[in-house]
Amino acid sequence: MTDNKPESSAAKSESNRPIRVLLLDDRQENLLLRSAILRQHGYESVSASSIEEAEAKLQGIDIAVLDYHLGAGKFGTNVADTLRQQRPQVPIIILSATLERRFGGIADMHLLKGYSSTDDLIAALRNFEAKRRGKPVVVDARDFYYSRISLAMGNDVVLQMLDRDGNWQYVNDYFASLYDKKRSWFPGKNLFEQFPEMKDEWHDIVRTVADTRETYIDRGFRGLPHLPKKKSAHWIWNVLVFPIKLHDDRDGVVLSARLIEKKQR
């Protein structure tokens, strides 16, 4: 029993130390700002302004936060590739404004500079921190990816993100609440199997938008068969279907609808 105490004490000390986060960015002001934010939240930052500097510090980190565009034709994904080879257990977060870029598997997150906040980054770090401390955690990069788009569209829009065959990849809270279900119930299920009334016309529309990359606008203000009917004679669903690259680089669509007040004639 006595022989186990030093090991147990060392393990406890290791689990209590601050999480070391590698920050890679070619702009010094970004490094200073993010380092300060991380320190305020109890993290230890390890800063690097170049690929070479970052790769020299890979052995001492727990999580990597890498800027994608580093200038001069260099990219943070180069460091990600090296880290994957040397220490595949280390989580990686890519900071990028590129919506359609695919950076890795389900264990990696893709934060969009245009829509992400400091809270997004800290929330991601908290999830990965739990993983590092031996607590199982699944970070769904797909949900994060699509939720950024949903956030940009607004809370008053019904959103469904589908592949060309109508399989749900993501729905927003507004849509899920209409059917008293959690958002997690929908991904993997098929829109046209769950709502057969949609199949005849909308199956063709979804496939056409996905294949041609053109946008469809329902100018007849008919709404969607699976959405509740208009609130009154003057409220109708305005429907838009536009193409999107899915998280796995397939062609898909966003099926959106917003309640609007139609002008009386």
Side-chain angles (χ1 to χ4, degrees):
M1 295 293 292
T2 304
D3 292 340
N4 292 333
K5 287 184 179 180
E7 181 179 351
S8 176
S9 177
K12 184 176 181 180
S13 176
E14 171 68 13
S15 66
N16 288 334
R17 71 167 174 80
I19 302 297
R20 298 189 184 105
V21 182
L22 172 65
L23 296 174
L24 170 62
D25 199 304
D26 62 329
R27 300 181 63 179
Q28 193 64 31
E29 61 269 28
N30 288 343
L31 287 176
L32 291 173
L33 176 60
R34 290 183 192 137
S35 293
I37 292 171
L38 291 187
R39 286 195 299 271
Q40 289 174 358
H41 287 82
Y43 294 96
E44 179 182 333
S45 65
V46 179
S47 298
S49 58
S50 69
I51 290 175
E52 294 75 17
E53 186 180 1
E55 290 184 339
K57 299 178 178 179
L58 297 182
Q59 295 305 315
I61 64 166
D62 302 304
I63 302 172
V65 178
L66 311 173
D67 190 54
Y68 177 57
H69 292 283
L70 298 175
K74 295 184 178 182
F75 303 93
T77 44
N78 295 337
V79 176
D81 291 339
T82 302
L83 186 55
R84 276 284 168 267
Q85 295 173 11
Q86 295 184 8
R87 304 184 64 207
Q89 76 279 14
V90 174
I92 300 170
I93 296 173
I94 298 288
L95 295 174
S96 173
T98 308
L99 264 177
E100 297 184 2
R101 182 76 184 185
R102 187 184 177 198
F103 294 111
I106 205 67
D108 292 343
M109 296 191 70
H110 171 192
L111 297 178
L112 307 178
K113 282 184 178 176
Y115 304 127
S116 295
S117 66
T118 300
D119 290 340
D120 291 327
L121 178 57
I122 296 301
L125 290 173
R126 293 300 190 210
N127 280 329
F128 285 134
E129 179 181 351
K131 181 178 180 180
R132 174 193 168 276
R133 296 196 187 282
K135 300 176 182 177
V137 60
V138 176
V139 179
D140 193 338
R142 291 173 299 178
D143 189 75
F144 193 90
Y145 171 77
Y146 296 125
S147 68
R148 299 302 91 191
I149 303 171
S150 177
L151 180 63
M153 294 288 290
N155 295 327
D156 62 337
V157 181
V158 169
L159 282 182
Q160 303 168 75
M161 302 187 191
L162 314 159
D163 65 18
R164 70 181 301 275
D165 296 318
N167 297 307
W168 279 302
Q169 308 299 304
Y170 174 92
V171 302
N172 67 351
D173 289 322
Y174 190 174
F175 179 79
S177 68
L178 293 176
Y179 301 98
D180 295 322
K181 295 184 182 296
K182 295 183 177 180
R183 288 191 300 106
S184 58
W185 183 88
F186 293 90
K189 294 182 174 63
N190 186 275
L191 167 66
F192 305 112
E193 292 177 1
Q194 298 298 321
F195 299 100
E197 65 272 24
M198 292 280 292
K199 189 169 186 179
D200 290 342
E201 179 181 6
W202 288 96
H203 196 206
D204 289 338
I205 292 173
V206 167
R207 284 194 169 184
T208 299
V209 171
D211 293 343
T212 65
R213 316 301 294 158
E214 295 180 358
T215 297
Y216 172 83
I217 302 174
D218 179 20
R219 301 187 185 281
F221 296 105
R222 298 165 297 163
L224 293 167
H226 68 325
L227 293 183
K229 300 300 180 183
K230 52 194 175 184
K231 292 183 177 181
S232 72
H234 307 301
W235 287 92
I236 51 90
W237 288 104
N238 185 28
V239 179
L240 177 69
V241 189
F242 58 90
I244 187 178
K245 279 290 185 182
L246 300 177
H247 66 282
D248 54 8
D249 212 32
R250 291 181 297 148
D251 292 332
V253 306
V254 176
L255 180 57
S256 66
R258 175 185 271 116
L259 274 173
I260 62 172
E261 186 175 8
K262 193 174 181 181
K263 293 182 179 180
Q264 302 180 46
R265 294 183 179 180

